[in-house]
Amino acid sequence: MKRGFGSDNHSGISPEILEAIASANVDHALAYGDDEYCQRTEDLFRQVFGNQAKVYFVFNGTGANVLNIDAMCRSHHAVVCSDTAHIHVDECGAPQRIVGCKLLTVPTPDGKLTPELVKTQLHGFGFEHHSQPRAISIAQATELGTLYTLDEIRALADLAHSYQMYLHMDGARLANAAVALGCNFRQMTTDCGVDCLSFGGTKNGLLMGESCVILNPALDVDMKYRRKQMSQLCSKMRFVAAQFEAYLSTDLWHRNAEHSNHMAALLYEELKSVPQAKVMYPVQVNSVFVQLPRQVWTALLDDYFFYDWDEANNVVRWMCSFDTTEDDITNFVAALKKRL
């Protein structure tokens, strides 16, 4: 497959991650998380997110999101989220099927919830005919590549807690958000009142494996059983933990995210010479959303793979990765100009 801009999942694996996996591939180790790699990495998560943090490694981002929702909700509950949220658009109804709860979606112009938007769904409490709002779920960065400020996260957490609800954060691209905001992971999550976090690394250089991070101890109830029932318990878990250990114990997470963010910013600058390309949202992390004439972007697909984000409005998404190069950007924009 030609190098392209389809997804940051399309890139390979950071050499440091491969080295960490190889280092863990010696002798035998206890299975299901009872090994020294998992124990060390669990300690590392507490250093990063706070002493109260409890991490549960899972196979993928959907697993992390659903496990977090299951920690917060029962089947008669509801989760308020943006209409572009991954849990609504790209998880094939997994939260509804596995947890049984309802998703209350809110239209958002930029992918971001606000207290005012959330309040439109906060009614029917105590009325047995309505699903009971129990959680708010946000993504940082959002599916549109936009970012919540720390104050905006705190405001949503305060709103949730004032209604005895919880705040969940989908952090598939949390590293990109932290780099863009100039903060660390704890400042953006624990210190803002986030109750649980889906923390990913696959989009930023890991091979596989994500994590469900419980930040509010009140939610850490029977989680090991819930993870097992959801088929998210990895037997050779040390190979997931070893990746996160290498990722968090060095500046790898920061370096990779900083590079992919920079490549998206470079792509945005190059697009300024293409008046037919209308950038739809602020370029804050490693994604660029562009509106183009249909004949242009469909023809460009012959050269590069990428996703049409909103086909009805001819909006496409271009993602940069930790291994995107300046030559990739130059060649891509040149191919685009040839199609105009």
Side-chain angles (χ1 to χ4, degrees), residues 12 37 42 121 162 164 169 176 247 307 309 330:
Y37 301 93
E42 288 168 6
Q121 303 297 322
S162 71
Q164 289 74 56
M169 179 180 285
N176 299 90
Y247 188 65
Y307 287 102
W309 182 260
T330 300

Side-chain angles (χ1 to χ4, degrees), residues 63-116:
N65 283 337
V66 174
L67 185 57
N68 273 311
I69 292 172
D70 193 57
M72 298 184 293
C73 299
R74 299 298 172 263
S75 58
H76 60 283
H77 288 143
V79 179
V80 182
C81 64
S82 166
D83 61 347
T84 57
H86 201 275
I87 59 173
H88 171 58
V89 177
D90 288 307
E91 292 182 349
C92 198
Q96 296 94 319
R97 177 176 182 179
I98 297 173
V99 181
C101 65
K102 184 178 180 63
L103 299 182
L104 301 174
T105 60
V106 181
T108 55
D110 57 0
K112 294 167 56 176
L113 292 176
T114 65
E116 292 70 29

Side-chain angles (χ1 to χ4, degrees), residues 139-155:
Q140 180 76 329
T142 73
E143 291 300 304
L144 301 182
T146 52
L147 293 175
Y148 291 91
T149 67
L150 301 190
D151 286 342
E152 288 171 336
I153 298 170
R154 290 190 192 98

Side-chain angles (χ1 to χ4, degrees), residues 152-168:
E152 288 171 336
I153 298 170
R154 290 190 192 98
L156 288 168
D158 289 344
L159 175 66
H161 299 157
S162 71
Y163 281 85
Q164 289 74 56
M165 296 168 62
Y166 299 108
L167 178 64
H168 162 251

Side-chain angles (χ1 to χ4, degrees), residues 12-24 201-202 204-209 238-250 252-253 255-256 322:
I13 308 163
S14 284
E16 297 91 336
I17 298 299
L18 284 173
E19 182 179 349
I21 293 171
S23 296
T202 307
N204 198 35
L206 269 62
L207 166 63
M208 56 79 65
R238 71 185 187 274
F239 295 110
V240 178
Q243 295 178 72
F244 275 107
E245 183 178 27
Y247 188 65
L248 292 174
S249 63
T250 68
L252 178 62
W253 69 269
R255 183 165 18 104
N256 280 359
F322 76 92

